[in-house]
Amino acid sequence: MKFRILDLFCGAGGMSYGMHKNSNFTTKIALDVNDKLAQTFIKNMPDAKVIIGDIRDKKIQDNIVDLSIKNKVNMIIGGPPCQGFSLKGKKLGLKDPRNFLFIEYLHIVERINPEVFVIENVKNLLATSNGWFKEQIIKEIKNLGYKVSFGIVKASDY
């Protein structure tokens, strides 16, 4: 099976680049708010259509969904910002608005209804705010009708 990917919070393209190591994966659309990171993504993945903008913007979301439908996207990948969950950050938990961007990610999942999606973050997301974020993410994914599997992997192994 071939997977056509939408990469949300794409950054410089690390996740897509890793997926492309397998010929069954190709990134069609990508989104990031950071223009400099997106420029690096464009150099790494020249065949993907890159949108630079805020995922919370309705016009940006509509554009991404339209492009994804046109490109028959059947997989979404992405890592919403991890700074709010990082052990090195300020640990603001429920008071850090970046920690809620997973909601926007899941809204796009709901609209596109891909066969599969991968949401990635740092290990501390599991414990932040006594596990509230982990539980909310799992609950929302199940509400969308998907099965949930999660775990901790060592990035250097991949």
Side-chain angles (χ1 to χ4, degrees):
M1 168 166 237
K2 297 281 185 178
F3 289 96
R4 294 168 303 282
I5 298 171
L6 163 61
D7 188 344
L8 298 173
F9 308 100
C10 69
M15 228 171 147
S16 279
Y17 190 79
M19 292 287 185
H20 282 228
K21 296 292 182 186
N22 181 316
S23 63
N24 291 311
F25 297 89
T26 184
T27 301
K28 296 293 190 178
I29 316 294
L31 169 73
D32 203 272
V33 71
N34 185 311
D35 180 57
K36 288 183 181 178
L37 292 176
Q39 295 309 316
T40 301
F41 185 100
I42 290 166
K43 288 185 180 175
N44 287 330
M45 304 284 149
D47 295 332
K49 170 70 175 157
V50 179
I51 308 299
I52 301 165
D54 191 329
I55 194 169
R56 296 170 290 190
D57 183 317
K58 174 111 171 70
K59 289 180 186 174
I60 296 288
Q61 283 189 17
D62 289 346
N63 188 21
I64 294 228
V65 169
D66 290 345
L67 287 169
S68 295
I69 291 168
K70 286 178 189 167
N71 283 274
K72 299 180 180 169
V73 163
N74 60 354
M75 181 177 190
I76 298 175
I77 64 173
C82 64
Q83 296 92 334
F85 301 114
S86 173
L87 291 173
K88 304 224 186 252
K90 294 180 182 178
K91 301 176 193 70
L92 298 175
L94 295 167
K95 294 179 182 172
D96 190 331
R98 297 173 297 185
N99 291 351
F100 294 89
L101 289 173
F102 76 88
I103 294 169
E104 303 303 334
Y105 179 104
L106 293 175
H107 282 161
I108 291 176
V109 167
E110 181 177 25
R111 290 181 67 189
I112 294 172
N113 194 31
E115 293 177 42
V116 63
F117 65 93
V118 176
I119 188 168
E120 176 274 335
N121 214 288
V122 295
K123 178 180 172 182
N124 203 45
L125 176 141
L126 301 174
T128 298
S129 298
N130 295 315
W132 185 88
F133 288 97
K134 176 189 82 166
E135 295 305 319
Q136 281 301 117
I137 292 168
I138 290 170
K139 180 178 128 190
E140 292 299 323
I141 291 170
K142 286 181 177 179
N143 286 344
L144 292 174
Y146 289 92
K147 292 180 183 175
V148 177
S149 175
F150 70 92
I152 299 169
V153 298
K154 187 175 176 185
S156 62
D157 291 342
Y158 299 92

